[in-house]
Amino acid sequence: MATFMDVHHGMVGITEDELRQAHEADVAIQAEEGVTFVNAWADPATGTVYCLSEAPSADAVQHVHQRTGHPADEIHEVPLQV
Amino acid sequence: MATFMDVHHGMVGITEDELRQAHEADVAIQAEEGVTFVNAWADPATGTVYCLSEAPSADAVQHVHQRTGHPADEIHEVPLQV
């Protein structure tokens, strides 16, 4: 498994409910792709959302996000953490 | 206080030691700006580093990073988290 930070752009004005619903939709199917979404942070002003996950691959992360209707714009493996 | 995600670009090939040293340099002076750096994640392949912090303002976050020689390229307040 590896740690990934994926980034969504274009979610200007995202609300707390919308963020929670999107996260819960991902969590509902994540096991099918071997992914575990750990945290998500959102900046409604610029529409930027960051999702931290543990997954076998970046593709697996994107598969979950695609299936729930909000594909990531960037997916970074982040092997280093402090 | 608010939660911020700041992003550094251009750190291709960053090593675990370099990430730790940069983070420790920030932590050493953070209190002077009222900032608490919580986590940092790095993608050496693309040179992207994400820093999560609690701070009174984005400027305070940037002041710490500037004083330790690695200013952020983006700073996002992330008031929403799940």
Side-chain angles (χ1 to χ4, degrees):
Chain A
M1 296 292 270
T3 305
F4 294 87
M5 184 76 84
D6 70 77
V7 187
H8 303 257
H9 299 296
M11 295 187 167
V12 174
I14 185 170
T15 65
E16 187 149 8
D17 281 346
E18 288 167 340
L19 179 64
R20 186 178 306 106
Q21 285 161 20
H23 181 68
E24 286 172 355
D26 291 338
V27 169
I29 66 165
Q30 66 183 8
E32 297 168 24
E33 306 280 354
V35 178
T36 302
F37 283 96
V38 179
N39 282 103
W41 300 269
D43 169 9
T46 62
T48 309
V49 177
Y50 299 95
C51 301
L52 187 69
S53 63
E54 302 288 329
S57 67
D59 285 346
V61 175
Q62 187 70 303
H63 284 164
V64 175
H65 276 329
Q66 285 169 334
R67 290 175 53 192
T68 54
H70 45 264
D73 295 294
E74 303 172 51
I75 303 182
H76 296 270
E77 183 172 348
V78 283
L80 308 182
Q81 173 175 349
V82 289
Chain B
M1 297 293 270
T3 305
F4 294 87
M5 184 76 82
D6 70 77
V7 187
H8 304 256
H9 300 296
M11 295 186 167
V12 174
I14 186 170
T15 66
E16 186 148 11
D17 281 346
E18 288 166 340
L19 178 64
R20 187 177 307 109
Q21 285 162 19
H23 181 69
E24 287 172 355
D26 291 337
V27 169
I29 66 166
Q30 66 183 6
E32 296 167 25
E33 307 279 355
V35 177
T36 302
F37 282 98
V38 179
N39 281 103
W41 299 269
D43 169 9
T46 62
T48 309
V49 176
Y50 300 95
C51 300
L52 187 70
S53 63
E54 301 289 330
S57 67
D59 286 346
V61 174
Q62 188 69 304
H63 284 165
V64 175
H65 276 331
Q66 284 170 334
R67 288 175 56 192
T68 53
H70 45 265
D73 295 294
E74 301 171 53
I75 302 182
H76 295 271
E77 182 172 347
V78 284
L80 309 182
Q81 172 175 350
V82 288

